[in-house]
Amino acid sequence: MHRPLEGIRILEVAQFTYVPAAGAVLADWGADIIKVEHAENGDAQRGLVRVLGLAAGKGGSSFAPIMEGPNRSKSSIGIDLAKPEARPVLEELIRRSDVFLTNYLPTPRAKLGITLEEVRAINPDIIYVTGSGFGSQGPDADKGAYDATGFWARGGSADGVMGASADRMAFMPAGAYGDNIGGMTIAGGIAAAIAGRERTGEPSVVDVSLLGVGAWATQFSVNLALFTGQAPVRDDKTTAAPGNPLTGSYRTSDGRWLQFSMLQPTRFWNEFVTLIGLEELVDDPRFATMEAIFEHNEQIFEMFAEAIAKRPYAEWVETLASLSGPWAPVQNGWEIGHDEALIANGRIVDVVDADGQTQKLVANPVKFDDAPVRMTRAPQFAEHTDDILRELGWDDDTLIELKIAGAVT
């Protein structure tokens, strides 16, 4: 059961990252994903590939992480959904699919004939899934969003990471940050809908909005605000739990950072101060209770900061490896890609690109039965059009006619 969605076919009519990321997760879980791309232009995200590839110093490679991450292990078919000649192809794909997955807005869906009613008229049992900016109902149902707007800004994360004295808005920590979180959420919703259809025979309509995912991610602050009747107070706190210096972030001598999150400071006090070279604070009666630590937290924080600032990041990572309290080095993308725990758990996966070169991608975080993820590269634009059409029953003569008409690529 390490590929629990094997045998499930998902028809993905989507572009950019948010909804395609859901398809990538489902492909990791064993589903067969057919990605529909515009017959001439393809996924709009492909237009960003060359620019970002050159910026990263990797021009000329067929491997583009911005496409590979959300599109690995899929098949690609190029279809111009606006052409009448393409309609039989689309309908046959819908007929043979378990899930219809899209991020097209309501107006384009109506124009292209892929509304819920039209898709269900072809396949009454299909699960219909939309990834939206602001939900399928309400005043913003027909407005688009990217994760920077719907998730990060409007969903509260941007406000949550800015201190009171900030002179500029903090941006997302990585490209497609909210998109990937949202894609994982959509994948979970689809898996639940598949289980529900298996149990009841009734197909679901699923919608996941970037705003909804953003609100879920910041629910601690939202729920607290609703309870207290006022917006959270922004400050310049440097600890995860104000008043507890064992939950602080501290800078090393070479400008790197360490994050500690020991919510029971007295439990870890002696071990921690010993490891950071402040043995004189072991069993110090001034800091014997949580109340005393909270009372003197600024003084303690300064002592800890001074001690940690004396040594570089790499030395601290080694020294603190034995610390039993929760802590973590603040890692960059390169270090995450080489994290021993991720590698040991199969979350960094080798794939062979179109040039025959081995590359690496992050796997989704869900692991089944301790089995490795089976992953292949993302498809080239419309790479599988001919194969898919033949599987659907079109012969070569008809295939050529469709291409001449511009219905497929």
Side-chain angles (χ1 to χ4, degrees):
M1 285 296 296
H2 64 276
R3 289 171 60 83
L5 295 185
E6 206 149 44
I8 297 293
R9 171 169 282 184
I10 295 170
L11 184 61
E12 178 188 295
V13 183
Q15 52 187 345
F16 293 108
T17 297
Y18 174 38
V19 168
V25 172
L26 296 162
D28 284 358
W29 296 350
D32 173 24
I33 316 293
I34 295 182
K35 180 181 181 68
V36 173
E37 302 192 56
H38 187 276
E40 183 177 349
N41 302 319
D43 185 327
Q45 186 126 296
R46 293 188 186 276
L48 301 175
V49 166
R50 183 174 181 276
V51 174
L52 294 177
L54 291 174
K58 285 285 190 177
S61 172
S62 69
F63 190 84
I66 191 174
M67 280 299 297
E68 296 288 338
N71 291 292
R72 73 287 191 96
S73 305
K74 300 178 183 179
S75 301
S76 170
I77 181 171
I79 306 178
D80 188 342
L81 298 179
K83 290 190 177 292
E85 296 89 345
R87 188 67 186 183
V89 176
L90 175 65
E91 291 189 358
E92 191 59 31
L93 285 169
I94 292 171
R95 201 169 287 117
R96 298 186 184 210
S97 296
D98 296 283
V99 179
F100 183 85
L101 174 61
T102 187
N103 60 1
Y104 282 38
L105 291 168
T107 298
R109 293 205 304 269
K111 183 178 179 181
L112 296 172
I114 53 173
T115 63
L116 168 64
E117 293 75 19
E118 289 164 307
V119 170
R120 283 272 174 87
I122 301 164
N123 182 349
D125 296 323
I126 201 165
I127 295 166
Y128 190 89
V129 184
T130 55
S132 62
F134 306 108
S136 58
Q137 297 166 338
D140 299 324
D142 208 9
K143 291 183 179 179
Y146 290 107
D147 58 346
T149 56
F151 171 88
W152 185 250
R154 191 165 168 178
S157 290
D159 182 76
V161 299
M162 285 191 294
S165 60
D167 58 1
R168 65 179 62 185
M169 192 192 91
F171 194 56
M172 295 187 301
Y177 184 75
D179 286 340
N180 287 315
I181 297 171
M184 191 77 206
T185 306
I186 294 172
I190 290 173
I194 291 170
R197 191 181 66 175
E198 290 284 326
R199 187 167 49 84
T200 67
E202 295 294 325
S204 296
V205 177
V206 179
D207 178 73
V208 179
S209 72
L210 283 166
L211 177 59
V213 175
W216 175 256
T218 60
Q219 67 165 306
F220 179 93
S221 297
V222 178
N223 293 342
L224 188 61
L226 293 172
F227 175 72
T228 61
Q230 62 183 14
V233 176
R234 282 170 48 190
D235 56 27
D236 289 316
K237 64 179 182 290
T238 55
T239 66
N244 179 0
L246 272 75
T247 68
S249 54
Y250 294 93
R251 190 193 295 256
T252 64
S253 65
D254 51 352
R256 298 294 301 275
W257 290 88
L258 308 172
Q259 175 67 46
F260 301 91
S261 189
M262 288 165 277
L263 301 181
Q264 300 166 286
T266 54
R267 175 182 174 186
F268 301 105
W269 178 271
N270 285 347
E271 179 188 10
F272 180 69
V273 297
T274 300
L275 283 171
I276 67 172
L278 297 176
E279 294 90 345
E280 66 274 16
L281 297 181
V282 170
D283 292 327
D284 190 315
R286 295 175 298 168
F287 315 124
T289 66
M290 288 185 65
E291 291 76 12
I293 290 173
F294 277 48
E295 181 182 353
H296 298 93
N297 79 88
E298 292 186 9
Q299 175 190 353
I300 297 168
F301 182 86
E302 290 177 4
M303 290 189 292
F304 288 176
E306 182 179 352
I308 291 172
K310 292 179 180 179
R311 297 168 63 184
Y313 176 87
E315 284 189 23
W316 281 122
V317 170
E318 183 176 352
T319 298
L320 295 168
S322 63
L323 178 61
S324 59
W327 76 280
V330 177
Q331 297 191 131
N332 57 40
W334 175 260
E335 290 161 340
I336 297 167
H338 293 81
D339 189 293
E340 291 181 355
L342 287 174
I343 293 170
N345 284 280
R347 299 305 93 186
I348 305 296
V349 179
D350 287 344
V351 295
V352 178
D353 67 19
D355 302 320
Q357 301 298 311
T358 299
Q359 309 284 359
K360 294 182 183 295
L361 289 173
V362 176
N364 82 87
V366 179
K367 184 167 64 168
F368 297 98
D369 305 315
D370 283 331
V373 176
R374 282 164 38 192
M375 190 185 297
T376 59
R377 63 171 174 81
Q380 302 291 295
F381 168 52
E383 180 178 350
H384 305 98
T385 297
D386 292 4
D387 293 338
I388 293 170
L389 288 174
R390 291 189 181 105
E391 179 196 338
L392 297 178
W394 273 264
D395 60 26
D396 288 351
D397 290 339
T398 307
L399 195 155
I400 293 171
E401 290 174 5
L402 289 170
K403 290 188 175 183
I404 292 173
V408 302
T409 299

